[in-house]
Amino acid sequence: MADFDDIIEEDTAFVDDHVITNVPDPIFIRGSGHLTVFGLSHRYNTEFPPVLAAKLAPEEYKATIDRVNSILRKTMSMNIRWLVCGCLCCCCTLGCSLAPTIHITKRTKHMIRKVLELENRRLYYKLGLNWTLSKEKCESGNMEEYVLKIEFVPKLNIQEPD
C-alpha cells in the first residue's frame, strides 16, 4: 500500500518526447550576395520559402529580410574599404590594421541580432517562430558563414495533465 506515493518519471519523458517530435526542422536562409567578409554576406535573398506559407505572410517575411539587408547595406561598404586598406597596410602594422574591419563586423552582427530579437518579440514569438543569426558550415567547403535561422517553437500541450 505504500507504493502509491511513488513518482513515475516515464510519463513526463513521454510527454516531452511527444511535444518535441511535432516540431519541423529549422529553415536556413543563406546569404545571396557575391561578397562575404568574415562569414557575413552582404545581403540575404527576399524570396519567400514555401515551408512558411501557412505560418507567415510573405509581406512580413520580406519586411524582416529588408531590415536585415538595410543594416548590411549601411555597414558592408565601409567594412570593405577598411578591409582593403587593412590588407594594404597589413605588413607594416603586423595585422593591427585589420582591427577596424573586425570591429565593424562584430558591430554589424550585434545590430542584426538586436533587430531579429525585436522582430521576435514584436511578431514571431506569437506565431511560434524564432529568428536567429547563426554560424553554419558552407555547402561548398570547410568555411563557415552566418545564416538566418528560423526555428519553430514547440507549442505546449495544455490538454495533457502535469
Side-chain angles (χ1 to χ4, degrees):
M1 277 201 167
D3 294 336
F4 64 88
D5 288 334
D6 293 341
I7 297 174
I8 300 173
E9 294 292 330
E10 295 173 344
D11 293 336
T12 58
F14 178 75
V15 172
D16 290 341
D17 290 340
H18 179 67
V19 171
I20 292 173
T21 56
N22 290 335
V23 178
D25 293 333
I27 301 168
F28 296 103
I29 302 168
R30 299 202 178 275
S32 62
H34 301 294
L35 187 62
T36 302
V37 178
F38 293 116
L40 195 60
S41 181
H42 80 280
R43 72 181 169 97
Y44 290 97
N45 195 358
T46 58
E47 183 180 328
F48 185 71
V51 178
L52 294 174
K55 287 285 222 180
L56 182 65
E59 297 83 20
E60 295 167 341
Y61 172 83
K62 187 176 183 321
T64 302
I65 295 291
D66 286 343
R67 283 188 186 96
V68 171
N69 284 340
S70 71
I71 292 171
L72 292 171
R73 189 173 31 256
K74 290 176 190 174
T75 59
M76 290 304 269
S77 62
M78 186 186 315
N79 201 357
I80 296 301
R81 290 182 198 139
W82 278 106
L83 181 64
V84 170
C85 180
C87 288
L88 292 175
C89 301
C90 186
C91 295
C92 300
T93 61
L94 300 175
C96 293
S97 58
L98 294 175
T101 304
I102 294 169
H103 175 72
I104 292 171
T105 303
K106 284 182 182 180
R107 193 177 74 197
T108 303
K109 291 186 289 189
H110 180 72
M111 289 169 57
I112 291 172
R113 285 186 177 117
K114 285 282 196 182
V115 165
L116 292 177
E117 185 61 35
L118 180 70
E119 290 290 312
N120 282 335
R121 277 189 268 130
R122 184 184 67 84
L123 174 68
Y124 293 113
Y125 285 153
K126 297 172 189 171
L127 299 175
L129 299 172
N130 183 29
W131 286 59
T132 55
L133 181 69
S134 64
K135 191 183 280 191
E136 297 289 327
K137 281 206 173 273
C138 290
E139 297 168 348
S140 62
N142 292 334
M143 295 177 32
E144 292 184 342
E145 68 176 336
Y146 286 94
V147 297
L148 296 176
K149 183 178 177 182
I150 305 173
E151 297 173 311
F152 293 93
V153 179
K155 293 183 180 179
L156 297 175
N157 190 358
I158 60 173
Q159 304 293 331
E160 296 287 327
D162 289 340

